[in-house]
């Protein structure tokens, strides 16, 4: 029996080339969508605080649909329950990809980011509960500060014109994917009401048909689009938040390629829907969810009322403490060695950046506080907390941007112009050098 010590793995090391390319493609769309999201949020805030705020509210609250099918919704609800289903469908596809071929495919690679993400959800929720309880407030919003908005975070990075190495971006993406999974489970379990088991049975039957079509290798959007809409409508009428239907279909889509297949169904669907999600669905949701009245009194209540204060502290303090402590302890437990080109200050900057919670946080805020007056305070808290987290993260990232730029240039240099970065062609480069544990 060998007494040799177990080899230490590298955390935030160089990604394998296929994984690096997949991450780059996913984040490119998210970054563009994040800038559109940022613009939509600014428009909503400005519009809601002008003399034309009444027009904004009239549009947001305008109802249309098919009442006979239980789908007579306001514009705001159509964006939250309908368009966000596309966002969660893409999230489901990304989660499936991570589970099958990405960071989460093996326990060794999944342990560190999953532990970090789970800690980054538990600590904000606990901090919110502590603040709300001590101030005599409601515990309903415990889940609001748990979710990271990857698009908004990437928009901040784009505005900063920073060049994070791909390993840091991949770690941030994995945190967001696990966050989304947690949000999905919370929405499905805690925000259901008046269950209609007949409609739910129809939704599950539709998902079964969806699964069978995938197993039979049936192709053609004309099969899946009507079926997807039917599953979504049945899930909505069943009392479960309709976005859960999107996640379920994303998880069912086949991620692996058959022999001779250029792209899997999940890849084709993601390529088609990701721009729609990032550039249309999420910004429109933000346009009708982020329009809150901002005044001195309203901002004062964010820091004096227990519920919004709990949200702000959960996003800014809870996320940072949870992710950083979870990452550090997991690295020690798994004997992972931090990439020598990076420092724990870089992990801290990512932990602060993960405190930007927007899309899912606003959605959960609306579900947790049905009273519009209460929801307004929670939305304001999400915006304030996200802005504080973005500002602090910007300061931390800018301090290290010279190092990031050097690492980014090293991993993207391609002097022989063969389409493969030179760092992957150096003598001795192998799986260990590429960083099998990030």
């Amino acid at each position: 029996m060998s007494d040799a010590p177990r080899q230490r793995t590298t955390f935030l090391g160089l990604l394998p080339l296929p994984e690096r390319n997949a991450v780059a493609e996913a984040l490119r769309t998210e970054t563009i969508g994040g800038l559109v999201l940022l613009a939509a949020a600014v428009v909503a805030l400005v519009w809601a605080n002008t003399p034309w705020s009444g027009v904004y509210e009239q549009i947001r609250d305008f109802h249309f649909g098919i009442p006979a099918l239980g789908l007579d919704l306001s514009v705001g609800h159509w964006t939250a329950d309908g368009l966000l289903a596309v966002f969660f469908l893409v999230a489901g596809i990304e989660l499936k990809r991570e589970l099958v071929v990405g960071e989460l495919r093996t326990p060794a690679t999944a342990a560190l980011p999953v532990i970090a993400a789970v800690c980054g959800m538990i600590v904000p929720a606990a901090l919110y509960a502590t603040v709300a309880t001590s101030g005599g407030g409601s515990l309903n919003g415990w889940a609001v500060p748990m979710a990271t908005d990857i698009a908004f975070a990437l928009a901040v990075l784009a505005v900063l014109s920073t060049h994070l190495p791909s390993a840091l971006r991949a770690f941030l993406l994995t945190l967001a994917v696990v966050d989304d999974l947690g949000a999905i489970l919370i929405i499905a379990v805690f925000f259901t009401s008046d269950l209609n088991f007949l409609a739910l049975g129809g939704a599950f039957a539709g998902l079964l048909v969806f699964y069978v079509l995938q197993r039979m290798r049936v192709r053609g959007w004309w099969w899946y689009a009507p079926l997807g809409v039917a599953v979504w409508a049945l899930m909505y009428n069943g009392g479960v938040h309709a976005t859960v239907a999107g996640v379920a279909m994303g998880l069912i889509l086949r991620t692996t390629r058959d022999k001779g297949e250029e792209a899997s169904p999940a890849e084709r669907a993601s390529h088609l829907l990701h721009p729609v999600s990032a550039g249309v669905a999420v910004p429109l949701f933000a346009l009708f969810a982020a329009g809150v009245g901002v005044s001195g009194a309203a901002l004062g209540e964010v820091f004096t009322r227990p519920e919004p204060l709990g949200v702000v502290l959960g996003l800014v303090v809870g996320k940072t403490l949870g992710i950083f402590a979870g990452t550090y302890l997991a690295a020690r437990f798994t004997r992972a060695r931090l990439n020598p080109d990076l420092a724990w200050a870089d992990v801290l900057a990512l932990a602060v950046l993960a405190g930007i919670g927007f899309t899912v946080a606003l959605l959960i805020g609306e579900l947790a506080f049905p009273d519009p007056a209460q929801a307004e305070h929670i939305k304001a808290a999400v915006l304030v907390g996200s802005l504080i987290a973005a500002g602090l993260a910007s300061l931390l990232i800018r301090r290290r941007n010279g190092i990031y730029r050097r690492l980014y240039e090293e991993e993207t240099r391609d002097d022989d112009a063969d389409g493969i970065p030179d760092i992957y062609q150096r003598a001795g480069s192998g799986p260990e050098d590429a960083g099998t544990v990030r």
Side-chain angles (χ1 to χ4, degrees):
M1 180 181 296
S2 174
D3 294 327
R6 187 175 62 180
Q7 183 180 4
R8 300 184 70 182
T9 53
T10 301
F11 169 51
L12 297 178
L14 183 65
L15 292 175
L17 186 57
E19 180 69 8
R20 177 185 176 277
N21 292 338
V23 168
E25 179 64 26
L27 295 186
R28 188 177 299 111
T29 303
E30 290 286 2
T31 300
I32 297 172
L35 293 172
V36 180
L37 169 64
L38 188 59
V42 171
V43 169
L45 280 172
V46 172
W47 193 358
N49 288 276
T50 64
W52 300 280
S53 60
V55 177
Y56 173 84
E57 294 173 359
Q58 288 177 354
I59 296 174
R60 183 191 62 194
D61 299 334
F62 178 75
H63 277 246
F64 68 96
I66 308 174
L69 298 179
L71 297 175
D72 184 23
L73 309 178
S74 68
V75 171
H77 280 139
W78 273 113
T79 59
D81 293 271
L83 289 180
L84 278 195
V86 179
F87 165 79
F88 278 102
L89 171 57
V90 174
I93 293 173
E94 182 58 34
L95 175 60
K96 178 75 171 288
R97 193 197 72 81
E98 290 286 330
L99 290 169
V100 176
V101 298
E103 292 281 282
L104 307 181
R105 68 186 181 279
T106 62
T109 57
L112 206 151
V114 168
I115 291 172
V118 170
C119 291
M121 291 186 284
I122 292 175
V123 175
L127 187 56
Y128 173 92
T130 301
V131 173
T133 302
S134 61
S138 169
L139 289 175
N140 290 352
W142 61 272
V144 175
M146 293 175 63
T148 295
D149 194 305
I150 183 66
F152 214 129
L154 291 172
V156 171
L157 294 179
V159 171
L160 291 176
S161 188
T162 188
H163 293 77
L164 283 187
S166 57
L168 287 173
R169 292 177 182 267
F171 185 63
L172 182 62
L173 176 62
T174 306
L175 287 176
V177 168
V178 179
D179 261 6
D180 286 342
L181 174 60
I184 292 159
L185 293 175
I186 288 169
I187 290 171
V189 173
F190 294 99
F191 296 104
T192 58
S193 59
D194 301 325
L195 293 180
N196 183 330
F197 291 102
L198 182 61
L200 283 179
F204 286 119
L207 290 173
L208 179 60
V209 173
F210 197 99
Y211 173 78
V212 171
L213 291 175
Q214 282 289 289
R215 294 286 294 179
M216 294 176 63
R217 302 306 193 259
V218 174
R219 298 183 61 173
W221 64 268
W222 51 88
W223 291 98
Y224 296 100
L227 180 59
V229 172
V231 169
W232 170 84
L234 287 167
M235 191 76 74
Y236 176 83
N237 281 285
V240 175
H241 201 271
T243 53
V244 176
V247 177
M249 288 183 280
L251 290 172
I252 291 173
L253 282 170
R254 178 167 54 86
T255 308
T256 55
R257 302 179 186 179
D258 288 338
K259 185 177 180 180
E261 197 173 35
E262 293 185 1
S264 68
E267 289 173 313
R268 291 194 296 270
S270 180
H271 180 75
L272 177 67
L273 295 176
H274 206 157
V276 177
S277 169
V280 179
V282 174
L284 280 178
F285 168 75
L287 181 63
F288 293 107
V292 296
V294 178
S295 63
L299 291 176
E301 289 187 338
V302 168
F303 296 99
T304 55
R305 293 170 60 111
E307 297 91 348
L309 179 60
V311 170
V312 172
L313 292 178
L315 288 172
V316 178
V317 180
K319 272 289 184 183
T320 302
L321 288 177
I323 292 175
F324 183 81
T327 304
Y328 183 79
L329 293 175
R332 293 292 299 271
F333 178 76
T334 59
R335 293 180 55 81
R337 178 188 61 181
L338 182 66
N339 182 346
D341 289 322
L342 297 172
W344 284 105
D346 303 309
V347 179
L348 177 64
L350 284 190
V352 176
L353 188 65
I356 299 176
F358 192 77
T359 306
V360 178
L362 290 176
L363 175 62
I364 294 178
E366 289 185 346
L367 296 174
F369 295 94
D371 179 19
Q374 285 185 304
E376 290 287 294
H377 293 114
I378 297 300
K379 288 180 180 181
V382 170
L383 295 174
V384 169
S386 298
L387 287 174
I388 294 174
L392 293 175
S394 299
L395 293 175
L396 295 173
I397 290 171
R398 292 293 294 180
R399 288 181 62 251
R400 303 275 295 172
N401 199 35
I403 296 172
Y404 299 151
R405 187 181 298 274
R406 175 178 61 80
L407 294 175
Y408 179 81
E409 290 173 351
E410 286 180 1
E411 71 177 35
T412 55
R413 181 177 293 117
D414 184 16
D415 292 336
D416 55 6
D418 64 350
I420 300 176
D422 297 339
I423 196 170
Y424 290 97
Q425 298 173 313
R426 292 174 183 168
S429 290
E432 291 80 18
D433 300 304
T436 54
V437 174
R438 273 77 67 189

